[in-house]
Amino acid sequence: MKKTRATITAIGKYTPKRILNNRDLEKIVDTSDEWIRSRTGMVERHIAAKGEASSDMATAAFKDMRKRFKIDPEEIDLIIVATITPDMFFPSTAALIQHNIGARNAFGFDISAACSGFLYALAIAAEFIENGRYKKVLVVGSDTMSTITDYTNRDTCILFGDAASVVLLEPAEEDYGILDYILKLDGSGKDFLYMAGGGSRNPATHETVDKKMHYIYQEGKSVFKFAVIKMAEVSVDLLKRNSLKGSDVGLFIPHQANKRIIDACVSRLKLKDEQVMINIDKYANTTAATIPLGIVDAYDQGRLKKDDLLLMSAFGGGFTWGSVLVKWSL
Ligand code: COA
């Protein structure tokens, strides 16, 4: 019997109004527009308003989805939220979103896989549809990175932005949808990219706040090296396993963490510029939201059309990394 695949049938996005550009950052830390552009490809990023949390941005992205597509929230079976900046430890961000959007028949949960979170969530959602148990799964990538960013540290504060984006997965017709995926985890990466404070290891105290343990810590160079190797490797492996080459890919949407990392991966995959979605200049690194944001922007720009082969790849804290291959149906 032919396997039921899961496919993306609706999309939506939200970015906060406030924009922080490189010139603004020049006034806060010792940096320059030139350095940021040339070392990262970033130009501006959106920053959430005070009190605006990941569930609020996701709710707004869902609203955008409803403007674009006919969706009854009560028909949603499951909500999976990829985030490392949940509104709070519990209840889950999924619970808050479920309540906000009136998806009263859905259950849901959050997953923590940093910048690979959206791909992890997408793969999990696809399994629930492929096994026939559920018909409509909302997959959310939402991160309010500004709330865990130290704006006195030039090493990290230039890199991140806030955004949310959502996709709806449903059973696919014909041979469309998620064709295959590879997801990876290597916990030895835990020392290079993390936020130490606030969890059960270092519960919040005055001391953890004084030591700035509630902010992102990153060894940029180590993460960079790992990302360059692993994002390309997993993309090549996924294509190979499906007897495909770079030239078969309609659009490649990589995680947007550094333009130089994307360029290295693109060169390894032997892709042309027109095959690659880059919007790092507009949003910087929005963690779990970069890839779904790329999907929405590419779709709006007419760069993602029915029958296109879409390759998505990410890497992030953990370390986590992975790739997902889709035959696009929208
Ligand atoms: N503005 C100006 N100078 C800066 C700076 C900034 N914002 N940040 C660092 N520098 C300086 C450093 O102090 C260093 O100065 P020195 O040579 O006098 O010591 C110099 O620039 C080079 O720093 P380095 O850290 O080697 O730069 P880099 O080329 O590795 O770029 C990152 C730094 C963070 C942009 C890069 O390592 C990176 O993108 N890493 C991966 C990050 C990532 O993807 N994280 C998310 C994972 S999902």
Side-chain angles (χ1 to χ4, degrees):
M1 207 176 75
K2 223 176 133 200
K3 189 167 133 184
T4 306
R5 286 206 186 112
T7 198
I8 294 172
T9 56
I11 56 177
K13 72 164 184 178
Y14 171 79
T15 50
K17 275 197 192 72
R18 186 180 155 215
I19 290 178
L20 185 70
N21 63 31
N22 293 350
R23 296 276 177 214
D24 298 324
L25 285 165
E26 283 178 353
K27 294 176 200 144
I28 306 174
V29 286
D30 180 16
T31 191
S32 67
D33 175 49
E34 201 283 323
W35 193 95
I36 301 172
R37 276 178 200 255
S38 62
R39 305 308 291 163
T40 70
M42 295 166 183
V43 179
E44 56 186 39
R45 65 276 305 132
H46 292 249
I47 302 293
K50 201 167 187 309
E52 189 174 32
S54 294
S55 73
D56 300 323
M57 295 200 299
T59 301
F62 181 76
K63 253 190 202 159
D64 178 53
M65 180 193 260
R66 282 193 83 185
K67 264 193 216 148
R68 296 160 177 263
F69 301 89
K70 198 173 166 298
I71 289 158
D72 178 355
E74 296 195 4
E75 286 181 2
I76 296 172
D77 301 304
L78 166 59
I79 302 170
I80 307 180
V81 183
T83 186
I84 55 163
T85 50
D87 291 32
M88 46 191 130
F89 270 150
F90 68 91
S92 67
T93 317
L96 305 173
I97 296 169
Q98 185 244 21
H99 179 70
N100 287 349
I101 68 174
R104 58 193 184 94
N105 297 309
F107 78 110
F109 51 88
D110 294 2
I111 63 144
S112 169
C115 298
S116 310
F118 178 76
L119 297 188
Y120 270 52
L122 199 63
I124 296 165
E127 294 295 341
F128 275 112
I129 287 178
E130 286 177 13
N131 72 21
R133 191 168 282 271
Y134 300 114
K135 297 245 176 304
K136 286 180 200 271
V137 184
L138 186 70
V139 179
V140 179
S142 185
D143 268 307
T144 319
M145 296 305 289
S146 62
T147 59
I148 58 167
T149 298
D150 176 3
Y151 286 96
T152 64
N153 180 354
R154 71 175 183 177
D155 293 341
T156 50
C157 78
I158 58 152
L159 297 173
F160 298 98
D162 302 333
S165 197
V166 294
V167 306
L168 188 70
L169 274 194
E170 292 185 74
E173 281 166 20
E174 300 166 42
D175 58 347
Y176 292 103
I178 294 174
L179 306 179
D180 199 5
Y181 61 82
I182 299 175
L183 300 174
K184 298 276 189 177
L185 175 67
D186 177 356
S188 67
K190 67 181 173 38
D191 299 328
F192 303 104
L193 182 51
Y194 59 80
M195 188 180 88
S200 53
R201 174 84 53 202
N202 299 294
T205 60
H206 289 290
E207 196 192 352
T208 63
V209 173
D210 290 344
K211 287 184 167 168
K212 301 190 168 194
M213 288 166 73
H214 300 270
Y215 292 131
I216 302 157
Y217 171 85
Q218 171 169 258
E219 284 180 26
K221 261 201 185 336
S222 308
V223 177
F224 188 97
K225 278 187 205 149
F226 187 87
V228 163
I229 297 166
K230 294 299 180 184
M231 200 159 82
E233 190 178 271
V234 75
S235 307
V236 168
D237 288 350
L238 188 63
L239 288 180
K240 247 193 206 155
R241 175 158 114 174
N242 287 273
S243 310
L244 295 164
K245 307 185 287 303
S247 54
D248 297 313
V249 173
L251 191 69
F252 176 51
I253 306 185
H255 172 51
Q256 314 275 313
N258 188 315
K259 171 82 164 43
R260 290 183 293 139
I261 296 173
I262 297 172
D263 290 344
C265 189
V266 163
S267 138
R268 173 92 195 275
L269 287 166
K270 298 193 179 69
L271 299 176
K272 299 191 179 108
D273 286 353
E274 58 269 27
Q275 288 173 284
V276 186
M277 181 65 200
I278 293 176
N279 55 12
I280 194 169
D281 52 322
K282 289 203 302 185
Y283 308 119
N285 183 352
T286 57
T287 303
T290 59
I291 292 182
L293 212 50
I295 292 177
V296 178
D297 281 2
Y299 182 77
D300 286 347
Q301 292 162 17
R303 296 184 62 190
L304 200 47
K305 292 187 218 73
K306 194 166 179 168
D307 293 315
D308 277 351
L309 205 56
L310 167 66
L311 178 68
M312 299 174 273
S313 297
F315 68 92
F319 292 124
T320 56
W321 69 106
S323 276
V324 177
L325 191 63
V326 173
K327 187 170 175 192
W328 189 253
S329 60
L330 253 184

